[in-house]
Amino acid sequence: MDRVLNKLRNLDAYPKVNEDFYSRTLAGGVVTVVSAAVMLFLFLSELRLYLYTVTESKLLVDTSRGETLNINFDVTFPSVRCSILSLDTMDISGERHHDILHNIMKQRIDANGNVIEARKEGIGAPKIERPLQKHGGRLEHDEKYCGSCFGAEESDDHCCNNCEEVREAYRKKGWAMSNMDLIDQCQREGFVQKVKDEEGEGCNIHGSLEVNKVAGNFHFATGQSFLQSAIFLADLLALQDNHYNISHKINNLSFGHHYPGLVNPLDGVKWFQGTSHGMYQYFIKVVPTVYTDIRGRVIHSNQYSVTEHFKSSELGAAVPGVFFFYDISPIKVTFKEEHIPFLHFLTNICAIIGGIFTIAGIVDSSIYYGQRTIKKKMEIGKYR
């Protein structure tokens, strides 16, 4: 047993020196203090990197199918009144939505940008006493109201009980409403007067859309749009000027949920119309993005890039409005927050400690032996 222990003792790579042979010097103390300070600084730097997260990114082919795209928007039109501003969507699959009201909020603003009135779209018209019935007479107390669609009825029992329903029936037929004063529902609701009362006002429109995840467009048009020969036209009211100022500011435009580091290039963008009238177009490339935070929470969102173009009405037919044409990228980006592995952190700490000790030992030895050499030369010179 003693032989085994002796052999093991001979393998000691760290032989000990008796304290009686230690020689402590001032230079060695300075080197020790400096090396300890450097070691502490590097340790704190490594600890900070370990505690902070790093984000790894990857590019993958997007293989998802049958998903929808969520669009969040907040746009201000300082020279377009809310009553004639409409939102429409259309995609390459053929799905179209005209004058969208669901999840949309409009705010009337004055010339200084102050909010005059806010109202949520999609709320029915107020009930008014004794409206005109479909058969031509006035509503009696014991009757159920069924308003006329003025020739746009889809069936014999189709009723249009407010101005918006009449306009919707006309849009489905592809007809334009040239004189709103002749429509009983619009006259009773004061639609024309409401438009006139908003003279000189602007409009802020914000909300969200959920559309198919295919290429398409959504746009803000001046005047209620309708479908005719499979293209969008504008039902510009007769009481309005055909030349609209579509100057606008995009307060926010995003495709999906927000995640850390997301930049929306159109946020805060302003455009002011000059002397020419027409449509302003944004061409957007949407990039699907998946973000996974350090806790494992997954956020499905989208990034996008954009180019812009103004199409003047002087060069051809151009419906006044702001159009957003979007296309979906086939490449998906994934971001994942991660910590530096603990073993990697431990390896770096060991490297710092070992490296500093080694360098400090070399520096201290060089100083010590240099001082001894100088001292010996001085003693030899003294005896000569």
Side-chain angles (χ1 to χ4, degrees), residues 88 98 167 170-177 223-228 231-236:
D88 313 293
H98 316 298
R167 296 165 68 193
Y170 266 61
R171 278 192 292 273
K172 290 181 179 180
K173 290 287 188 179
W175 300 348
M177 298 179 66
Q224 305 298 326
S225 64
F226 66 96
L227 194 63
Q228 178 67 36
I231 61 173
F232 277 108
L233 300 176
D235 178 14
L236 303 179

Side-chain angles (χ1 to χ4, degrees), residues 79-80 243-248 270-280 310-311 313 320-322:
S79 302
V80 179
H243 292 158
Y244 289 93
N245 184 347
I246 58 171
S247 299
H248 59 275
K270 299 179 181 179
W271 181 78
F272 297 98
Q273 180 173 296
T275 56
S276 299
H277 301 276
M279 68 167 66
Y280 202 78
F310 177 70
K311 183 178 181 181
S313 57
V322 180

Side-chain angles (χ1 to χ4, degrees), residues 20-85:
D20 294 338
F21 297 98
Y22 282 160
S23 177
R24 302 185 185 279
T25 62
L26 177 62
V30 173
V31 171
T32 301
V33 172
V34 172
S35 61
V38 173
M39 196 181 303
L40 179 63
F41 172 74
L42 293 178
F43 171 76
L44 293 175
S45 298
E46 197 66 30
L47 181 63
R48 181 179 63 86
L49 291 176
Y50 172 71
L51 294 177
Y52 276 69
T53 58
V54 293
T55 303
E56 297 290 336
S57 61
K58 293 181 181 179
L59 295 179
L60 304 171
V61 175
D62 187 10
T63 58
S64 60
R65 294 181 299 172
E67 295 184 351
T68 58
L69 182 65
N70 186 261
I71 304 173
N72 307 300
F73 59 88
D74 184 349
V75 185
T76 299
F77 294 86
S79 302
V80 179
R81 63 196 77 185
C82 287
S83 56
I84 64 171
L85 185 63

Side-chain angles (χ1 to χ4, degrees), residues 17 23 53 82 84 90 138 165 230 265 275 293 305 333 362 365 373:
V17 180
S23 177
T53 58
C82 287
I84 64 171
M90 180 172 60
R138 290 291 173 179
E165 291 181 1
T275 56
D293 64 17
S305 60
V333 181
I362 294 173
S365 298
T373 302

